[in-house]
C-alpha cells in the first residue's frame, strides 16, 4: 500500500469502530474483510486497526484472531481459531493446564469475542507448552471483568474439556508457535498503545493552546513545553519501535515494541496530566479513560517493567545482543 491507501484504510476502520454498536463489531469487521486483510497484508491491517482502536478507545475482538492466526498457522485449511489470552499481569505464561486427557481452560478473551465457535488454548503439560483447539459450546464459564478499564470488556474463561484426537499440538513445534502468537499480540498491543498515547497527547496539546493563565496560553510556558516535548519524543520512539516490530528477530522486536509503547504511554500520561491539571482526574474527561486504557493494555502479555526484565534475561542467556535494524 502507498501512503494514501494506508490513510484511507485507517480512516475506514476508524469510522467503522466509532459508528458500529459494540455488540456487532465482530461481525462488522468480518464483513469489512478484516480476516482476509489480516492474511494478505498483516503488516498493513494490524497497525491500521489497532492504532484506530487506541485513538478511539473502542475495543474489538481482533487481537484474538491475530494471535490465533499466528499460533495455528499452517495446521489446517480452515479459518484460524481465536486465541485465548493469558490474564492481566500474567505475561505470556498460560494458566491453562492439560492433565489426564483434559484441558483445564483458564484465560481471557477481549470485547465481542465471548462466543467464537473455535478457540486455541495454550496450556502447560508438565514443563512443556501445548496448543489445544477447543469447541467451547456450553461448557465454558464466561465472567466479565471490570478491572481498571471496564470498557475494555475482558471476559474470563474457565472450563474443562476432553482433548479430542488431533486437536492438540505439542512437541517441538508448539512452543515456537505460541511464541509467534505472543509476538503477534505484542505487536498489535504496541500499535494500540501508540494510538492511546497519541490521543492523550492531542488532548494535552489542545488544552495547552486554549487554557490561559496570567493573560496568555499555558502552552507558551517553557516548563510545560518541555514536558510535552518529552512526551512527543517518547511517543515517536514507540512509533518507530512498533514499525520495526515486523522485522526479524520477530519475538525480540515485538517484545521491544510492546515495552517502548507501554513506557511511552505512561510518560505521555504523566505529562498530559500536568497539562490538564485537575480536569484529567474526572470521570467526565476523556483523558481519564485514555489513561485507564493505557494501564490495562500495558498489563497484557507483559508490562513495560516485566518486559524489561524479560529482555535482560534473554540477553544474559543468549550471551549476545541481536541486531534489530540495519544502521
Amino acid at each position: 500500500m502507498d501512503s494514501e491507501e494506508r490513510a484511507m484504510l485507517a480512516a475506514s476502520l476508524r469510522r467503522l469502530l466509532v459508528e458500529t454498536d459494540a455488540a456487532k463489531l465482530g461481525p462488522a469487521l468480518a464483513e469489512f474483510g478484516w480476516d482476509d486483510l489480516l492474511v494478505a497484508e498483516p503488516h498493513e491491517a494490524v497497525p491500521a486497526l489497532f492504532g484506530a482502536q487506541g485513538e478511539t478507545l473502542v475495543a474489538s475482538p481482533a487481537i484474538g484472531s491475530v494471535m490465533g492466526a499466528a499460533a495455528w498457522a499452517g495446521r489446517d485449511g480452515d479459518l484460524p481459531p481465536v486465541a485465548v489470552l493469558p490474564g492481566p499481569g500474567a505475561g505470556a505464561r498460560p494458566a491453562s493446564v492439560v492433565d489426564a486427557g483434559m484441558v483445564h481452560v483458564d484465560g481471557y478473551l477481549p470485547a465481542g469475542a465471548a462466543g467464537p465457535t473455535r478457540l486455541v488454548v495454550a496450556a502447560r503439560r508438565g514443563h512443556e507448552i501445548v496448543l489445544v483447539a477447543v469447541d467451547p459450546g456450553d461448557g465454558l464459564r464466561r465472567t466479565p471483568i471490570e478491572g481498571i478499564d471496564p470498557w475494555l470488556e475482558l471476559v474470563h474463561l474457565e472450563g474443562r474439556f476432553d482433548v479430542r484426537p488431533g486437536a492438540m499440538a505439542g512437541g517441538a513445534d508448539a512452543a515456537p508457535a505460541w511464541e509467534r502468537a505472543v509476538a503477534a499480540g505484542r505487536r498489535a498491543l504496541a500499535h494500540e498503545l501508540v494510538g492511546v498515547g497519541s490521543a492523550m497527547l492531542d488532548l494535552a496539546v489542545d488544552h495547552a493552546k486554549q487554557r490561559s493563565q496570567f493573560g496568555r496560553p499555558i502552552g507558551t510556558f517553557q516548563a510545560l513545553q518541555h514536558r510535552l516535548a518529552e512526551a512527543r519524543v517518547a511517543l515517536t520512539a514507540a512509533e518507530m519501535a512498533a514499525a520495526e516490530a515486523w522485522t526479524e528477530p520477530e519475538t525480540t522486536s515485538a517484545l521491544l515494541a510492546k515495552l517502548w509503547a507501554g513506557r511511552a504511554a505512561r510518560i505521555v500520561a504523566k505529562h498530559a496530566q500536568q497539562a490538564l491539571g485537575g480536569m484529567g482526574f474526572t470521570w467526565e474527561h476523556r483523558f481519564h479513560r485514555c489513561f485507564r486504557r493505557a494501564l490495562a493494555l500495558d498489563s497484557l502479555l507483559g508490562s513495560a517493567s516485566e518486559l524489561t526484565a524479560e529482555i535482560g534475561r534473554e540477553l544474559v542467556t543468549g550471551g549476545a545482543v541481536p541486531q534489530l535494524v540495519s544502521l
Side-chain angles (χ1 to χ4, degrees), residues 11-134:
S12 298
L13 286 169
R14 191 178 296 110
R15 187 165 54 250
L16 176 70
L17 293 171
V18 172
E19 296 178 357
T20 305
D21 182 81
K24 301 177 181 178
L25 192 52
L29 283 170
E31 185 177 350
F32 181 84
W34 159 255
D35 293 323
D36 294 334
L37 187 60
L38 178 61
V39 172
E41 297 188 86
H43 58 287
E44 301 287 358
V46 171
L49 177 60
F50 285 88
Q53 286 184 191
E55 293 169 7
T56 60
L57 296 183
V58 176
S60 83
I63 190 169
S65 59
V66 168
M67 293 181 65
W72 215 247
R75 296 190 183 275
D76 56 40
D78 299 332
L79 285 175
V82 173
V84 175
L85 281 67
R93 181 175 172 79
S96 300
V97 176
V98 170
D99 181 46
M102 302 280 293
V103 56
H104 305 255
V105 178
D106 183 358
Y108 293 78
L109 285 180
T117 57
R118 191 161 173 248
L119 301 174
V120 59
V121 179
R124 292 176 285 114
R125 184 176 63 179
H127 297 291
E128 69 170 337
I129 297 292
V130 296
L131 300 177
V132 185
V134 173

Side-chain angles (χ1 to χ4, degrees), residues 11 20 35 47 66 70 84 127 129 145 155 157 166 172 177 232 237 240 272 281 287 322:
T20 305
D35 293 323
V66 168
V84 175
H127 297 291
I129 297 292
I145 302 300
V155 177
L157 305 179
R232 170 52 66 188
M240 296 177 67
F281 285 103
F287 171 78

